[in-house]
Amino acid sequence: MRTLTVGLGGKVTEIFHQPACPQWALEQIYAALRARTWEDRHAWARRVFPVLRTRLIQAAAALPADSDAVPFAQALADLVQAQSLTSGSLSLPQWNEILHRHFPPPPGEHPGPGPVPGRAPNF
């Protein structure tokens, strides 16, 4: 049996075990426990996320309309809503669309997504 471990700084350690090796058995037990812990945490997160999202939206709605925090709270609520509709992470274009909607560019700057027509991309 062979195990590979990546440590701090990216150092890879390779260990060969005999089939009856106690260390190998312990590593398998710990790996199963880590997997179960990860599954439990994600199951809890799936149960709790809708409640937390609702609290965030209610708190954002409760802000006074003239508060400087309103665009930030609304952007955060939209980001959380968009995240709830995906099984992974939001893509950079999704972030850009949401932030652009709440924080539009100043007048004279290119307002939409994509490159500015007739201008080289600014990398």
Side-chain angles (χ1 to χ4, degrees):
M1 313 284 180
R2 179 178 100 162
T3 60
L4 293 173
T5 307
V6 179
L8 295 175
K11 180 182 177 193
V12 177
T13 303
E14 181 178 26
I15 301 174
F16 291 91
H17 300 275
Q18 295 296 324
C21 176
Q23 183 180 355
W24 170 258
L26 286 174
E27 286 180 10
Q28 296 306 303
I29 292 168
Y30 290 142
L33 288 174
R34 283 191 303 270
R36 182 175 299 149
T37 301
W38 184 90
E39 291 165 359
D40 291 345
R41 289 180 60 207
H42 282 268
W44 170 81
R46 282 189 295 275
R47 284 192 317 271
V48 173
F49 186 77
V51 173
L52 297 176
R53 183 182 67 218
T54 301
R55 286 185 201 162
L56 172 67
I57 291 168
Q58 290 171 344
L63 288 171
D66 61 345
S67 171
D68 290 340
V70 168
F72 297 98
Q74 289 174 340
L76 178 59
D78 282 359
L79 288 166
V80 169
Q81 175 65 26
Q83 179 64 49
S84 73
L85 300 175
T86 182
S87 60
S89 297
L90 293 178
S91 68
L92 185 56
Q94 290 171 304
W95 273 86
N96 289 346
E97 290 168 11
I98 292 169
L99 295 176
H100 180 75
R101 186 168 52 244
H102 293 284
F103 306 102
E109 285 191 24
H110 181 61
V116 177
R119 201 164 119 198
N122 185 10
F123 292 110

